[in-house]
């Protein structure tokens, strides 16, 4: 969340707001090639369950338009492509060119063509018409956005009446013991893992810090309501380590 219009958080650091996007871009340029492998290692594969639950809650049907925002390497896009079929459309959008290239190559290698388009886009100013998408998902991307309120308002604008937004993101564990274990794992283990596997401990230090700076469950729910969603709720997973927030536009 930006501070006073010109300062914001980059992990635990305070930086100029207009520099954060480039700093985040550097992180994801660095981690793009090892992103899928590190996701599996860091979460012990559980991220696949979190994403599968998100897909189930989305309830995509043939013919729908879906925006997979901050879609990275395309895990959600691939499944949505199957669900909406030839009459539907999925847009994998990401602000980071490196992630978009990895995602496009991966999906094309997996035979995903035809109903998927790739767009480099900033979540704060989405380049799509009003009332355009039936479903918008953003998985593990909102915490990296500089102006989260602006991004949520942009998503609300391009969502059709009757549509839904699903925000899958790391959140706040619901008991002290889990929080303590999670902190140890995040700051003592993950950066070392990043160094060994991806040759980059600093990026994974930032990613752990960015989780702690992200709004908690109730705060994000209120931000979605403030952005114009008519209703919002959330479901905790893995004791609140991750939460799926759902916003509805009527």
């Amino acid at each position: 969340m930006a501070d006073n219009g010109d300062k914001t958080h980059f992990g635990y650091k305070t930086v100029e707001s207009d520099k954060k996007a480039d700093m985040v871009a550097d992180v994801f340029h660095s981690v793009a090639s090892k992103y899928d492998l590190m996701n599996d290692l860091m979460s012990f594969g559980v991220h696949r369950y979190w994403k599968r639950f998100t897909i189930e809650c989305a309830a995509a049907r043939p013919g729908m338009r879906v925006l997979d925002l901050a879609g990275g390497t395309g895990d959600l896009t691939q499944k949505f492509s199957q669900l909406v079929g030839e009459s539907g459309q999925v847009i994998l959008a990401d602000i980071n060119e490196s992630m978009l290239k990895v995602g496009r190559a991966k999906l094309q290698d997996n035979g995903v063509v035809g109903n998927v388009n790739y767009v480099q886009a900033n979540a704060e100013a989405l380049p799509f018409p009003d009332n355009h998408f039936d479903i918008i998902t953003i998985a593990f991307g909102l915490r990296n956005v500089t102006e989260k309120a602006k991004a949520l308002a942009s998503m609300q604008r391009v969502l059709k009446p009757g549509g839904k937004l699903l925000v899958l993101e790391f959140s706040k564990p619901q008991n002290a013991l889990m929080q303590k274990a999670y902190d140890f794992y995040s700051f003592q283990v993950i950066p070392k893992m990043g160094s060994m596997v991806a040759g980059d401990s600093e990026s994974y230090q930032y990613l752990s810090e960015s989780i702690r700076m992200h709004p908690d469950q109730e705060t994000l729910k209120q931000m979605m309501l403030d952005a114009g969603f008519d209703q919002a709720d959330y479901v905790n997973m893995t004791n609140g380590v991750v939460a799926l927030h759902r916003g509805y536009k009527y």
Side-chain angles (χ1 to χ4, degrees):
M1 206 177 328
D3 298 333
N4 304 322
D6 58 1
K7 296 285 186 180
T8 193
H9 296 293
F10 178 76
Y12 289 163
K13 299 174 184 175
T14 299
V15 299
E16 300 292 329
S17 292
D18 59 2
K19 293 180 180 176
K20 178 173 177 177
D22 288 339
M23 296 171 76
V24 171
D26 288 343
V27 168
F28 283 93
H29 286 317
S30 174
V31 305
S33 64
K34 300 287 187 180
Y35 187 78
D36 285 339
L37 174 60
M38 281 296 293
N39 275 352
D40 278 331
L41 291 173
M42 288 188 300
S43 73
F44 304 101
V46 179
H47 75 98
R48 297 176 185 274
Y49 158 74
W50 299 329
K51 291 172 181 173
R52 188 163 62 245
F53 182 70
T54 302
I55 293 286
E56 291 171 0
C57 289
R61 301 188 303 275
M64 282 187 165
R65 284 191 190 131
V66 179
L67 173 62
D68 182 14
L69 188 56
T73 57
D75 286 349
L76 297 182
T77 291
Q78 181 163 340
K79 187 60 179 176
F80 280 132
S81 173
Q82 298 166 3
L83 293 170
V84 304
E86 293 181 3
S87 60
Q89 181 191 43
V90 185
I91 293 180
L92 194 167
D94 203 292
I95 195 172
N96 187 273
E97 183 182 8
S98 297
M99 293 293 288
L100 209 55
K101 285 180 177 177
V102 171
R104 187 200 307 260
K106 173 182 162 184
L107 294 181
Q108 290 177 346
D109 286 348
N110 290 341
V112 180
V113 294
N115 64 353
V116 175
N117 296 99
Y118 303 87
V119 176
Q120 188 170 357
N122 186 335
E124 297 173 25
L126 292 170
F128 307 112
D130 294 358
N131 307 317
H132 190 68
F133 294 101
D134 299 284
I135 298 166
I136 300 174
T137 58
I138 179 166
F140 306 114
L142 185 61
R143 72 180 189 279
N144 297 308
V145 174
T146 304
E147 295 279 0
K148 295 176 181 62
K150 189 181 292 187
L152 289 168
S154 186
M155 294 177 221
Q156 195 272 351
R157 177 185 65 78
V158 303
L159 195 64
K160 287 182 182 178
K164 69 177 79 169
L165 165 68
L166 297 118
V167 180
L168 180 65
E169 189 55 90
F170 292 104
S171 201
K172 184 174 178 57
Q174 296 300 287
N175 69 59
L177 185 61
M178 174 64 88
Q179 181 70 64
K180 190 171 182 179
Y182 185 45
D183 284 345
F184 175 82
Y185 182 69
S186 297
F187 293 107
Q188 301 302 319
V189 178
I190 285 179
K192 290 183 176 67
M193 196 183 294
S195 178
M196 289 187 292
V197 176
D200 183 351
S201 64
E202 288 187 9
S203 290
Y204 286 94
Q205 178 76 23
Y206 158 73
L207 292 173
S208 292
E209 292 177 1
S210 70
I211 291 168
R212 299 313 184 279
M213 301 305 294
H214 186 66
D216 65 17
Q217 288 92 325
E218 284 293 328
T219 303
L220 180 54
K221 175 184 173 181
Q222 187 59 50
M223 289 175 69
M224 293 170 74
L225 295 171
D226 292 344
F229 288 93
D230 299 294
Q231 184 182 340
D233 60 16
Y234 61 86
V235 178
N236 283 320
M237 292 181 278
T238 317
N239 194 251
V241 168
V242 164
L244 176 64
H245 280 72
R246 300 175 291 194
Y248 306 87
K249 180 176 177 178
Y250 299 134

